[in-house]
Amino acid sequence: MSHQHTHDSSHPHKNGAMGNIAVAFLLNLFFVFVELAGGIITNSMAILSDALHDFGDCLSLAMAWAFQKKSTKKRDRKYSYGYKRFSLLGSVFLSGVLFISSLFVLTEAFKRVFAPEQVNARGMLWIALFGIVINGLAALRMKKGTTPNERAVFLHIMEDVLGWIAVLFAGAVMMFIQLPILDPLLSIAVSIWVLYNVYGNLRNTFAIMLQATPENVDVNNLEERIKALDGVISIHDLHLWTLDGESHIMTLHVVTDKTDSETLKHQIIKTATPFHINHVTIEIENPGIECFHTCD
């Protein structure tokens, strides 16, 4: 005997979340063009590399909005678990874009390390100040968000703010000291940081696709809580995976001698809810009955 339990995957504030992402996207897109023009005028590889990085951010925000909308679709016969995993497609695509652009920037930056070119330090200062303002406005908008996606975007934009503070510092230094090598070195640092985050994003995304146990779930603690419920003799064949990193799924077999299995099922579901598990399938078994459905 099995029981399936699902929660509505939509959120009443999803339109607000998409609105916040849309505003952040427009601000970043506007600033990309400012960076491209400013990077060419100032001859700064650091600014040009950040322009490519911000362009990747724009793609990320645009696709985050599109896949956020797609992922809210209800389940159907084609996708019985719903469309939540569509958000993972954007992560793979954008990681590829950022990887290629970062390699290009690294190649150009290394050339300038061995053959530094003069940059317009004053222009770098003004663009950096503008970058802090624009990214700061986007960060303030995203700070109001409450969804995990909005929080992730907020942290990412805040890292951009910190990056522009570094550019501001480099520009200020070169106002007084002729140190053109500082610009490509800063560009290399930004690119390495981007590649590091690309690796982390891909690692997490592929772990989800391969149905790894969610990192934010303490499986041992969850098992102990279920075993402590009145009527539970033992549990086995417990499987736990996640659709998109936020919505988790669990299946398990429970051995019990209680006749009121429905009450026990609801207790197990209630126990799993704090672990962000919103779809549970439970199979009830009587003591001494051999289970033929275990999975190696």
Side-chain angles (χ1 to χ4, degrees), residues 145-187:
T146 57
T147 67
N149 283 338
E150 288 174 295
R151 294 298 300 172
V153 172
F154 167 71
L155 292 174
H156 195 60
I157 292 175
M158 279 304 300
E159 288 171 333
D160 287 339
V161 173
L162 295 175
W164 278 113
I165 292 174
V167 174
L168 181 68
F169 170 76
V173 169
M174 287 188 284
M175 284 282 292
F176 304 98
I177 304 173
Q178 291 298 318
L179 197 63
I181 196 174
L182 187 61
D183 180 69
L185 289 177
L186 184 60
S187 180

Coordinates of all heavy atoms in Angstrom, one line a residue, residues 145-187:
G145 N 13.5 40.7 -2.1 CA 12.9 39.4 -2.5 C 13.0 38.4 -1.3 O 13.9 38.5 -0.4
T146 N 12.2 37.4 -1.3 CA 12.1 36.4 -0.3 C 12.4 35.0 -0.8 O 12.6 34.1 0.0 CB 10.8 36.5 0.4 OG1 9.7 36.3 -0.5 CG2 10.5 37.8 1.1
T147 N 12.3 34.8 -2.1 CA 12.5 33.5 -2.7 C 14.0 33.1 -2.7 O 14.9 34.0 -2.8 CB 11.9 33.4 -4.1 OG1 12.7 34.2 -5.0 CG2 10.5 33.8 -4.1
P148 N 14.4 31.8 -2.7 CA 15.8 31.4 -2.8 C 16.4 31.9 -4.1 O 17.6 32.3 -4.0 CB 15.7 29.9 -2.8 CG 14.4 29.6 -2.0 CD 13.5 30.7 -2.4
N149 N 15.7 32.0 -5.2 CA 16.3 32.5 -6.4 C 16.7 33.9 -6.3 O 17.7 34.4 -6.8 CB 15.3 32.3 -7.6 CG 15.3 30.8 -8.1 OD1 16.2 30.1 -7.9 ND2 14.2 30.5 -8.7
E150 N 15.8 34.7 -5.7 CA 16.1 36.1 -5.5 C 17.3 36.4 -4.6 O 18.1 37.2 -4.8 CB 14.8 36.8 -4.9 CG 13.7 37.0 -5.9 CD 12.4 37.5 -5.3 OE1 11.9 36.8 -4.4 OE2 12.0 38.6 -5.6
R151 N 17.4 35.5 -3.5 CA 18.5 35.7 -2.7 C 19.8 35.3 -3.4 O 20.8 36.0 -3.2 CB 18.3 34.7 -1.4 CG 17.2 35.1 -0.5 CD 17.3 36.4 0.1 NE 18.6 36.6 0.9 CZ 19.0 37.7 1.4 NH1 18.3 38.8 1.2 NH2 20.1 37.7 2.1
A152 N 19.8 34.3 -4.2 CA 21.0 33.9 -5.0 C 21.4 35.0 -5.9 O 22.6 35.4 -6.0 CB 20.7 32.6 -5.8
V153 N 20.4 35.7 -6.6 CA 20.7 36.8 -7.5 C 21.3 38.0 -6.7 O 22.2 38.6 -7.2 CB 19.4 37.2 -8.3 CG1 19.7 38.4 -9.1 CG2 19.0 36.1 -9.3
F154 N 20.7 38.2 -5.6 CA 21.2 39.3 -4.7 C 22.6 39.1 -4.4 O 23.4 40.1 -4.5 CB 20.3 39.4 -3.5 CG 20.9 40.3 -2.4 CD1 20.9 41.7 -2.5 CD2 21.4 39.7 -1.2 CE1 21.4 42.5 -1.6 CE2 22.0 40.5 -0.3 CZ 22.0 41.9 -0.4
L155 N 23.0 37.9 -3.9 CA 24.4 37.7 -3.6 C 25.3 37.8 -4.8 O 26.4 38.3 -4.6 CB 24.5 36.3 -3.0 CG 23.8 36.1 -1.6 CD1 23.9 34.6 -1.2 CD2 24.5 36.9 -0.5
H156 N 24.8 37.4 -5.9 CA 25.6 37.5 -7.1 C 25.9 38.9 -7.5 O 27.0 39.3 -7.9 CB 25.0 36.7 -8.3 CG 25.8 36.5 -9.4 ND1 27.0 35.7 -9.3 CD2 25.8 36.9 -10.8 CE1 27.6 35.6 -10.5 NE2 26.8 36.3 -11.4
I157 N 24.8 39.8 -7.4 CA 25.0 41.2 -7.7 C 25.9 41.9 -6.7 O 26.7 42.8 -7.1 CB 23.6 41.8 -7.8 CG1 22.8 41.3 -9.0 CG2 23.7 43.4 -7.9 CD1 21.4 41.8 -9.1
M158 N 25.8 41.5 -5.5 CA 26.6 42.1 -4.4 C 28.1 41.8 -4.7 O 29.0 42.6 -4.5 CB 26.3 41.5 -3.1 CG 25.1 42.2 -2.4 SD 25.3 44.0 -2.3 CE 26.7 44.1 -1.3
E159 N 28.4 40.6 -5.3 CA 29.8 40.3 -5.7 C 30.2 41.2 -6.8 O 31.4 41.6 -6.9 CB 29.9 38.8 -6.1 CG 29.8 37.9 -4.9 CD 29.6 36.4 -5.3 OE1 29.1 36.2 -6.5 OE2 30.0 35.5 -4.6
D160 N 29.3 41.6 -7.7 CA 29.6 42.6 -8.8 C 29.9 43.9 -8.2 O 30.9 44.6 -8.6 CB 28.4 42.7 -9.7 CG 28.3 41.5 -10.7 OD1 29.3 40.8 -10.8 OD2 27.2 41.3 -11.2
V161 N 29.2 44.3 -7.1 CA 29.5 45.6 -6.4 C 30.9 45.6 -5.9 O 31.6 46.5 -6.0 CB 28.4 45.8 -5.3 CG1 28.8 47.0 -4.5 CG2 27.0 46.0 -5.9
L162 N 31.2 44.5 -5.2 CA 32.6 44.4 -4.7 C 33.6 44.4 -5.7 O 34.7 44.9 -5.6 CB 32.7 43.1 -3.8 CG 31.8 43.0 -2.6 CD1 31.9 41.6 -1.9 CD2 32.1 44.1 -1.6
G163 N 33.3 43.8 -6.9 CA 34.3 43.8 -8.0 C 34.5 45.2 -8.5 O 35.7 45.6 -8.8
W164 N 33.5 46.0 -8.6 CA 33.6 47.4 -9.0 C 34.4 48.2 -8.0 O 35.1 49.2 -8.4 CB 32.3 48.0 -9.4 CG 31.8 47.6 -10.7 CD1 30.8 46.8 -11.1 CD2 32.5 48.0 -12.0 NE1 30.7 46.7 -12.4 CE2 31.7 47.4 -13.0 CE3 33.6 48.8 -12.3 CZ2 32.1 47.6 -14.3 CZ3 33.9 49.0 -13.6 CH2 33.2 48.3 -14.6
I165 N 34.2 47.9 -6.8 CA 35.0 48.6 -5.7 C 36.5 48.3 -6.0 O 37.4 49.2 -5.8 CB 34.6 48.1 -4.3 CG1 33.2 48.6 -4.0 CG2 35.6 48.6 -3.3 CD1 32.6 48.1 -2.7
A166 N 36.8 47.0 -6.4 CA 38.2 46.7 -6.7 C 38.7 47.5 -7.9 O 39.9 48.0 -8.0 CB 38.4 45.2 -7.0
V167 N 37.9 47.7 -9.0 CA 38.3 48.5 -10.1 C 38.5 49.9 -9.7 O 39.4 50.6 -10.2 CB 37.2 48.4 -11.2 CG1 37.5 49.3 -12.4 CG2 37.1 47.0 -11.8
L168 N 37.6 50.4 -8.8 CA 37.8 51.8 -8.3 C 39.1 51.9 -7.6 O 39.8 53.0 -7.8 CB 36.6 52.1 -7.3 CG 36.6 53.5 -6.7 CD1 36.3 54.5 -7.8 CD2 35.6 53.6 -5.6
F169 N 39.5 50.9 -6.9 CA 40.8 51.0 -6.2 C 41.9 51.0 -7.2 O 42.9 51.8 -7.0 CB 40.9 49.8 -5.3 CG 42.3 49.6 -4.7 CD1 42.7 50.4 -3.6 CD2 43.2 48.6 -5.2 CE1 44.0 50.2 -3.1 CE2 44.4 48.5 -4.7 CZ 44.9 49.3 -3.6
A170 N 41.8 50.1 -8.2 CA 42.9 50.1 -9.2 C 43.0 51.4 -10.0 O 44.1 51.9 -10.2 CB 42.6 49.0 -10.2
G171 N 41.9 52.0 -10.3 CA 41.9 53.3 -11.0 C 42.5 54.4 -10.2 O 43.3 55.2 -10.6
A172 N 42.2 54.4 -8.9 CA 42.7 55.4 -8.0 C 44.2 55.2 -7.8 O 45.0 56.3 -7.8 CB 42.1 55.2 -6.6
V173 N 44.7 54.0 -7.8 CA 46.2 53.8 -7.7 C 46.9 54.3 -8.9 O 47.9 55.0 -8.8 CB 46.5 52.3 -7.5 CG1 48.0 52.0 -7.6 CG2 46.0 51.8 -6.1
M174 N 46.3 54.0 -10.1 CA 46.9 54.4 -11.4 C 46.8 55.9 -11.7 O 47.4 56.4 -12.6 CB 46.4 53.5 -12.5 CG 46.9 52.1 -12.5 SD 46.5 51.1 -13.9 CE 44.7 50.8 -13.6
M175 N 46.0 56.6 -10.9 CA 45.9 58.0 -11.0 C 47.2 58.6 -10.5 O 47.6 59.7 -11.0 CB 44.8 58.6 -10.2 CG 43.4 58.4 -10.8 SD 43.1 59.5 -12.1 CE 42.9 61.1 -11.2
F176 N 47.9 58.0 -9.6 CA 49.2 58.5 -9.0 C 50.4 57.7 -9.4 O 51.5 58.2 -9.3 CB 49.0 58.6 -7.5 CG 47.8 59.4 -7.0 CD1 46.6 58.7 -6.7 CD2 47.9 60.7 -7.0 CE1 45.5 59.5 -6.3 CE2 46.8 61.5 -6.6 CZ 45.6 60.8 -6.2
I177 N 50.2 56.4 -9.7 CA 51.4 55.6 -10.0 C 51.1 54.9 -11.4 O 50.1 54.4 -11.7 CB 51.5 54.4 -9.0 CG1 51.7 55.0 -7.6 CG2 52.7 53.5 -9.3 CD1 51.7 54.0 -6.5
Q178 N 52.1 55.0 -12.3 CA 52.0 54.4 -13.6 C 52.3 52.9 -13.4 O 53.4 52.4 -13.4 CB 53.1 55.0 -14.5 CG 52.8 56.4 -14.9 CD 51.5 56.6 -15.7 OE1 51.2 55.8 -16.5 NE2 50.7 57.6 -15.3
L179 N 51.2 52.2 -13.3 CA 51.2 50.7 -13.1 C 50.2 50.0 -14.0 O 49.2 49.4 -13.5 CB 50.9 50.4 -11.6 CG 51.3 49.0 -11.1 CD1 52.9 48.9 -11.2 CD2 50.9 48.9 -9.6
P180 N 50.4 50.1 -15.3 CA 49.4 49.6 -16.3 C 49.2 48.1 -16.1 O 48.1 47.5 -16.5 CB 50.0 49.9 -17.6 CG 51.4 50.2 -17.4 CD 51.5 50.7 -16.0
I181 N 50.2 47.3 -15.6 CA 50.0 45.9 -15.4 C 48.9 45.5 -14.4 O 48.4 44.4 -14.4 CB 51.4 45.3 -15.0 CG1 51.4 43.7 -15.2 CG2 51.7 45.6 -13.5 CD1 52.7 43.1 -15.0
L182 N 48.6 46.5 -13.6 CA 47.5 46.2 -12.6 C 46.2 45.9 -13.3 O 45.4 45.1 -12.8 CB 47.4 47.5 -11.7 CG 46.5 47.3 -10.5 CD1 46.9 46.2 -9.5 CD2 46.4 48.6 -9.7
D183 N 45.9 46.5 -14.4 CA 44.7 46.3 -15.1 C 44.5 44.9 -15.6 O 43.5 44.2 -15.3 CB 44.5 47.3 -16.3 CG 43.3 47.1 -17.1 OD1 42.2 47.4 -16.5 OD2 43.3 46.6 -18.2
P184 N 45.5 44.3 -16.4 CA 45.3 42.9 -16.8 C 45.3 41.9 -15.6 O 44.7 40.9 -15.6 CB 46.5 42.6 -17.7 CG 47.5 43.7 -17.4 CD 46.7 44.9 -17.0
L185 N 46.1 42.2 -14.6 CA 46.1 41.4 -13.4 C 44.7 41.3 -12.7 O 44.3 40.2 -12.3 CB 47.2 41.8 -12.4 CG 48.6 41.6 -12.8 CD1 49.6 42.2 -11.7 CD2 48.9 40.2 -13.0
L186 N 44.1 42.5 -12.7 CA 42.7 42.5 -12.1 C 41.8 41.7 -13.0 O 40.9 41.0 -12.5 CB 42.3 44.0 -12.0 CG 40.9 44.2 -11.3 CD1 40.9 43.7 -9.9 CD2 40.6 45.7 -11.4
S187 N 42.0 41.8 -14.3 CA 41.1 41.1 -15.3 C 41.3 39.6 -15.1 O 40.3 38.8 -15.1 CB 41.5 41.5 -16.7 OG 40.7 40.8 -17.6

